[in-house]
Structure formats: C-alpha cells, structure tokens
Amino acid sequence: MRTMVKWNKDWLFCLGDAPEYSAPEACEENFRPQNLPHDWSVEYEPEEKEKTGGGGGYAKSGIGWYRKHFSLECVPEGEKLYLYFEGIYMDSTIYINGKKAGGHGYGYTSFHVDITPYVRAGENVAAVRVNNSLVPNSRWYSGSGIYRDVYLVRTDSVHFDHFGVRCGTNGIYPKQNQAALQICARVTNDSEAHANVGVLHRVYDAEGALVSTSGIAISLAPGETGDCMVRPTVEAPHLWTDEDPYLYTLESTVVKDGEAVDESSARIGIRTAAFDADRGFLLNGNTVKIKGMCVHHDCGLTGAVGYRESWERRLKELKEMGCNGIRCAHNPPVPVLLDLCDELGFLVMDEAFDEWLLAKNKTDNYYSENLAYGSSMFFPDHAKEDITAMLRRDYNHPSVVIWSIGNEIPEQSSADGVKLLKFLQDICHREDSTRMVTSACDNIAAVEPIRTSREFENALDVVGYNYAGRWRERAETFYEEDRMEFPKRRMIGTENPSAGGTRGDYSGKGRFGSYTNASMGHEALWRYTASHDFVSGDFLWTGIDYLGETRWPSRGAGCGPLDTAGFRKDTYYYFRSIWNKKAVTLHLAPSSWNFAGEEGSYKQVICYTNCDEVKLFINGKYVGSRGYECPRYGCVKAWNDGWEKRGRITTNDLHLSWDVVYEPGTLRAEGYKDGVLAAVEEVSTTGNAVQLSAKADRTELCADGLAQIELSALDEAGRFVPDACPEISCVVEGPAHLMGMDAGDLKDLSLYGNDHRKMFNGLLLALIQADAPGEVKVKFASENGLEAEVQLQVRG
C-alpha cells in the first residue's frame, strides 16, 4: 500500500558549491543542520549590490547543497520509492548514494524522482544541488532552496500514477436533484508481469456518509500506463460555491488479485465553472462577479516558505474584506494555498508561466534585448512537462476555475505567439476538458510594435486584460471598444490597479501616493466592472504586499491592502466597503489623529463606508454630511421613485471626503442606513505608548505548528497608539523557537530572523514555531521598558 511520509526533518545545508558534495562519504564540516522547508535568501539582509536587484528584492542568491542520511531496513521487491518535491528554487539535481537520480529546472512546479534503482538496505544519503546563481531570473522575489515540503513515497509496483486520480463535475441536473461526476484514473504497472486490476471509487460527504460507489477494470501489460473512467451520480448534491465551499472526499483504490495495493484520497467539490460572453463568470450556472486579488508566493518574514498557518491568516483577512478570487501570480502556488482556497471559497486563476521563449528583463517588465535568465531557459525542452505537472497536481481543487498559461508574455505581439499559445492551450484542453484557458495580456490596445495581436487575443478561451484602462481613451472606456467589436468574446480582468500604500503613512510622499487618493485608480474601473455582466470580474495587483519589484532602500512593493505582516491598511476598508455587503463598514483615514505642531492646518479626512450617509464631528462640532451610491438607484416605479435618497449623494467617488481644521481631540463619524444609525467610528489623539498588547491567533498547537502573535502599542487609556515605533525584543522559553518578526515596513532591511525588531506604526508580528510537547512562554520587551507575555501549549 502507498505510504507518503513528510521528509522535512534532519537535513544538512551548505551555501556553496563543490562536486564532492554529491558523494555519500563527503565531508560535512561546512554543513549545518536544517529542517525543511527552507529559503536561504531570507536568512540574509538585502544588499544593494546583490545581483537579484530590485526585482528580486536585493536578496541573496547562489548555489546551495542539501544532504540527508536515511536508513532503510530493506528494499522489498515489487515496491517503488519516490521523492516528491513540492518545489525547489531552482535548477535542482538530486543524487542518491552519489548517483544522479533526477532533477528539475523550473523553480515553481512540483515533481517526483524515482529513487528505486539507487537505494539499498541500510544507510543511504540523498544530496540535492540547488543552482540559483544565474540572477535575476524571476519576477519577483523567488527565494532559494528547497522551499516547499518533501515527501518519501512508497508504492506497490502496480499503482496510481502521480496525481493519477482526477475528478470533475460532468453536469448538475436540478430537476432530478442529481450531479454527475467524471472520475479518471491513470494506473501504472511497473511489474514484470501482466496485471488485471480493478479501480474502485467511493465518495463521502462532509459528515462521512457514503454517497457514491463506482468501479472499473483495466488490463495492463508490463511497464504500461493506462487510463480508465467512471461516471457516477451523487443524489441531492451539496454544491461548492464561493459563499458555501462544501467539500466531499473521494477515496480511490487499486485492487490486484483481490487485495488493495494502492489508495488515493482527495477532497473534491461538486460545481461547474464556465465563462460566458454575455453573463460573465458562471458558477453552477449562476453569474458570480469575481472580486479577486493577485498574490505572489512569498510570505514576508518566511520568504518563499508558505506555511498553512500564514496563508490561512492572510486569506481569512482577504475573505473578510469581501475578496472571493485569487490569482496565483505568476506561477503555480504552494499546494496548501489551494487547499485553503477550497475550504474558504476562493475562485482561483492558476497560472503557469511569466515568460515563454522571450526572456524578460527582471527589473523592467518587458522583453529583454540583453542577456537575461529565467524560466525561458527551460521552456523549449520542459514547457509541456511543467504545465502538465501543474494541471495534474491542481486538477481536483474546486477552487481552481480557470488556467492561465502566461502573464504579460512578450510573444503576445510576436509572429510565433499564437503557435506557442495554441501549443500550451491544447495541452490544457487535453488534460482538462472542464476548465477554460486564459493568458494575462498587458498590451491590448498598446502602441506598436508591442501591441497584442488580434490573432493572439482571439485564440484564447477567455481574454485576460491587464490594466484595461492603461491606453489612451480606454482610461475612460475600459472594455467598451472590444465588447462592440467582439461581442462573442469572453473577458476577465486578469490584473488591474489595487489600492495599497504604506500603513499609517499620511505624509503623501510615499511611492504609492497619498492616502487621499489611494483608491481612485480602482474606483472608476469597479463601477464599470460591477455594472457590466459581460466582464467576469477582476484580479487586482495585489492583495498583499510582496518582496521584490522595488527600489533601494526598500525590499518590496506596497501595492496591497494588507502589508507583508498581514496587517490591514486603510485601503483594506475601501475594498470591504464595496465588496462585503454582509458587514457594515465605516472607517476613517487618517486613522491617526496625532499631528502635534500642525494645529490650525487642514487635514483631508477620507471615509470608506457602505452606509448611505455619514456625519462627521470634530470634538463634538458638526463638520458635515456626505454620501454616495453604488450602484446608483434606477427608478422602477415612477420618474421620481427614490428621489428622497438622492439628497444624501455628494460625490460619484466610492469614498467620502472632508477638509477638517486640525485640533487635538476626537474625530467621530456616524454612519446611517435607511435613516437609522448603523455604525460609529472614532479616531482620537492618543498619549504615549505605555502598554504592550500581545495576542496569539492560537494558544494550542502541535509540534511544528505555528503561532502568530500580533503586538500593538497602547496608551494609558488602553487606546491604540498608531505612531509608536519602539524596538521590541523577544525571548522564547520552552520547546519552541522564534522564526522571526515583521512589522510590514518594507524599508526596514534588518534580518527578519532577529530576536528584536522595531514596531511600525504601532504594530508588530512575531512568528513562533513549536518544537515538541510542553508549555511555552513568549516574552516581549520594548526598549523603553514595556513588557508583554503570551503562553502557548504544545500538544503531542
């Protein structure tokens, strides 16, 4: 039977290169103990002279080696052993007992290595060489090393192929209250004898009740791989949606000579997903507007390593904001991200490549006429392998609703662009007949010679628009011209402006502009997208700040409504106000009213809200009333229907604004819905920070689990102090360790792994990893003597 053991513990690591490191008897004095996953780039402070440059966040690159000693009691005849790597960045070579067993070039796809011919009973050594020395090679921060989980997989000689069971929804039939599934299995016979086997499939609901059983026989010659299919039905199906992400479990078994020899388990969702030229995106036949965000693969202080707990905290924040879509920009993500998208109800665009044959300059965006490195180095020989790996690995995720074969590909305007597009799109169609394909095109309507060719656009199942309002009159008309010229075209906004900025910065001097106009790049576009069904929705750049794409002295880009530490910016509430209709939003910016020495000057106060009307007061004095409407009310009974509501409308923007003469005290906003007070928000002048507050997202965890502790500065009255920036130190007592701290300040270039870090505008995140069962105390102290403590319990 199949076993799959996580193989992350007890590795050795060395940054440096020597050919003898592949040998079993190699000297290991230059190596240090290292558990996986591991990103060595994040273990060094950014340096302006690093060759990765601003595109790669000025991060450390190079060549590194990993070694692991392991013992096998025996190597049973008739079994297969594989190493499954979820991701190595990049250009890896795997050795077993000094012999090359395999390798992989592209740094973002998962892969298997058959180690059966190379292992022996007793002691063995695995060695992995990782070559990330040819830089810059990715947009944006890539990290370096074995940055995702590794598994040792054992199977019978007759077994499911890697990701060999794929389940899709063949159809939903409301009148019969049934759903038809289509389950395809790929089985391999690695034995030397002919095999007649059976493949059984059982589907269980979320409560564990069996709802479907099906099976089929398949005959395989020695060394043959074959496909088989069943089409079972599920009665009264509970459909997966973005608001109700219900999951079933599919258990599949290979039976040979009456015995089960292999098993596979996958969570599935029953749903259909399609794109329509008139109705937009259809989930289970119903129009759903995609309110999406692009995300990069890095997780701030852990670099390229993406732990489940980190992504869960980030994704839950985006979900609360009203976001229902995630674009994996620009490469296949860590698998656990898709698991969480299944569970939380996100609509995912899964993306394969940021370049094909034409390499990009990794500091600028487009085709490079100079020597450039990247995934284009592997594309000619491995494109089919890499995109197939993504399709098969991610097929069963109901959250994945569309495949993207490329982002801002320079070939969109080249003579061979359509040929390459069709090559990749055909692979997607062969592997998956249930999902459509797009490519994110940034030069639709651009100037020649970079303009996307019409043939390229028209060859796509769904045309992806990056920055639909970038070129000339389209700044006002967006998709209108193409809708009129190509009425049968399916459209999706694959990348458009988000609303980011620097958390707590009200100077108006930041790279991303002033807080007073932070959301305006998105507002007009959203009015268009929300009111035109044929636009399926948007994925915005980005949902979370990320490492790379920056200028010195910064390590990343502040494009998102969440910073790298996962803290909310003011613009988070802009999106919440227009996207989350289930919650009342009322938020003021500046969210700090500490402007000593500026008394008598005007401050522009911005309000993000979904209330009908907001009244603003300063120290009890009435400032004024504001209101907006989106969508605007259209009469349904008579010409003056709803006339009384229009008196509250003061702007066509999606935010409200007042000019207020600054005086210390309290700003108070009162939000009204249908004339009734629905929410109150106050922003006050605070005193100095005299308290530290520390709150963990969980106080009980298992070994290797993570606790994320949010620290905030409070004044004597217990109010949050939004401009406090003291240095905080951390000490961990008990069986756990500090992984690092991050405050979301991209200009703080100090090492994330240090045991001390400055707060940024009142907030700091600490990440603690459990090592073994026991009680843990995490103690924090500020440079001015403030203290806080969190107690954690690690279970066995």
Side-chain angles (χ1 to χ4, degrees), residues 567-636:
F567 293 127
R568 300 176 179 181
K569 304 178 187 177
D570 293 318
T571 45
Y572 177 95
Y573 297 93
Y574 160 69
F575 290 111
R576 191 175 186 265
S577 70
I578 61 171
W579 283 355
N580 186 346
K581 301 302 183 183
K582 295 181 179 180
V584 176
T585 297
L586 180 65
H587 179 81
L588 295 177
S591 53
S592 168
W593 202 240
N594 295 353
F595 297 103
E598 299 183 49
E599 290 79 4
S601 64
Y602 279 94
K603 294 294 177 184
Q604 194 169 356
V605 176
I606 302 297
C607 180
Y608 299 128
T609 185
N610 52 14
C611 295
D612 303 329
E613 179 183 17
V614 176
K615 297 178 181 179
L616 186 69
F617 302 84
I618 174 69
N619 293 327
K621 296 174 289 189
Y622 180 62
V623 177
S625 175
R626 303 284 190 271
Y628 77 92
E629 208 173 48
C630 183
R632 297 185 185 94
Y633 184 78
C635 299
V636 294

Side-chain angles (χ1 to χ4, degrees), residues 456-513:
F456 191 96
E457 298 169 26
N458 293 335
L460 290 164
D461 295 339
V462 183
V463 180
Y465 287 75
N466 281 19
Y467 304 99
R470 172 176 284 171
W471 297 100
R472 298 178 301 280
E473 67 278 357
R474 295 200 180 201
E476 292 286 350
T477 60
F478 302 113
Y479 304 91
E480 198 68 29
E481 288 86 352
D482 286 355
R483 171 62 175 176
M484 295 178 67
E485 188 173 355
F486 305 104
K488 299 301 180 183
R489 173 178 289 186
R490 307 178 189 95
M491 301 181 181
I492 178 71
T494 37
E495 186 174 315
N496 275 303
S498 182
T502 302
R503 177 175 55 79
D505 178 11
Y506 303 109
S507 66
K509 299 177 182 179
R511 178 185 173 192
F512 295 92

Side-chain angles (χ1 to χ4, degrees), residues 14 62 210 230 303 459 569 643 742:
C14 172
L210 181 65
V230 295
K569 304 178 187 177
W643 188 261
D742 182 15

Side-chain angles (χ1 to χ4, degrees), residues 286-556:
N286 301 312
T287 296
V288 174
K289 190 69 71 174
I290 296 176
K291 299 170 287 187
M293 288 289 182
C294 303
V295 296
H296 269 292
H297 79 140
D298 75 81
C299 278
L301 69 91
T302 58
V305 177
Y307 293 101
R308 178 184 173 90
E309 292 92 336
S310 298
W311 277 116
E312 182 176 21
R313 175 172 170 265
R314 291 166 148 219
L315 290 176
K316 283 184 174 178
E317 282 291 272
L318 291 178
K319 193 70 175 181
E320 167 63 21
M321 191 180 75
C323 173
N324 70 352
I326 295 293
R327 175 184 172 217
C328 303
H330 303 293
N331 312 280
V334 62
V336 73
L337 184 143
L338 296 180
D339 292 339
L340 288 164
C341 288
D342 293 342
E343 297 168 16
L344 298 174
F346 284 97
L347 308 168
V348 174
M349 177 181 292
D350 206 349
E351 194 157 75
F353 303 111
D354 191 41
E355 61 188 22
W356 296 345
L357 287 174
L358 293 177
K360 295 178 181 177
N361 183 307
K362 304 308 184 297
T363 300
D364 301 320
N365 284 325
Y366 299 111
Y367 167 72
S368 175
E369 295 181 349
N370 298 315
L371 177 64
Y373 306 108
S375 60
S376 58
M377 296 188 296
F378 310 107
F379 188 89
D381 296 325
H382 299 288
K384 181 179 179 180
E385 168 193 341
D386 288 329
I387 196 168
T388 300
M390 178 188 79
L391 297 167
R392 292 182 180 177
R393 189 197 72 174
D394 299 345
Y395 184 98
N396 288 330
H397 289 282
S399 57
V400 177
V401 298
I402 189 170
W403 305 112
S404 172
I405 55 177
N407 168 69
E408 299 182 351
I409 297 298
E411 284 92 339
Q412 63 190 287
S413 59
S414 74
D416 287 338
V418 175
K419 180 174 70 175
L420 291 171
L421 182 157
K422 289 181 177 179
F423 164 69
L424 295 171
Q425 186 166 256
D426 286 348
I427 295 172
C428 294
H429 289 164
R430 285 197 302 270
E431 291 287 331
D432 183 1
S433 58
T434 70
R435 294 179 177 95
M436 295 182 180
V437 178
T438 190
S439 182
C441 303
D442 61 328
N443 285 328
I444 295 176
V447 295
E448 302 294 354
I450 63 171
R451 190 201 185 287
T452 311
S453 73
R454 287 301 194 195
E455 293 78 14
F456 191 96
E457 298 169 26
N458 293 335
L460 290 164
D461 295 339
V462 183
V463 180
Y465 287 75
N466 281 19
Y467 304 99
R470 172 176 284 171
W471 297 100
R472 298 178 301 280
E473 67 278 357
R474 295 200 180 201
E476 292 286 350
T477 60
F478 302 113
Y479 304 91
E480 198 68 29
E481 288 86 352
D482 286 355
R483 171 62 175 176
M484 295 178 67
E485 188 173 355
F486 305 104
K488 299 301 180 183
R489 173 178 289 186
R490 307 178 189 95
M491 301 181 181
I492 178 71
T494 37
E495 186 174 315
N496 275 303
S498 182
T502 302
R503 177 175 55 79
D505 178 11
Y506 303 109
S507 66
K509 299 177 182 179
R511 178 185 173 192
F512 295 92
S514 171
Y515 74 97
T516 61
N517 59 10
S519 62
M520 295 188 73
H522 179 257
E523 292 184 17
L525 175 68
W526 178 247
R527 279 196 177 273
Y528 188 100
T529 299
S531 57
H532 293 81
D533 284 347
F534 66 85
V535 183
S536 301
D538 253 324
F539 293 95
L540 307 181
W541 192 262
T542 55
I544 308 168
D545 291 355
Y546 54 97
L547 305 180
E549 195 178 16
T550 189
R551 306 186 187 107
W552 189 262
S554 170
R555 70 199 313 159

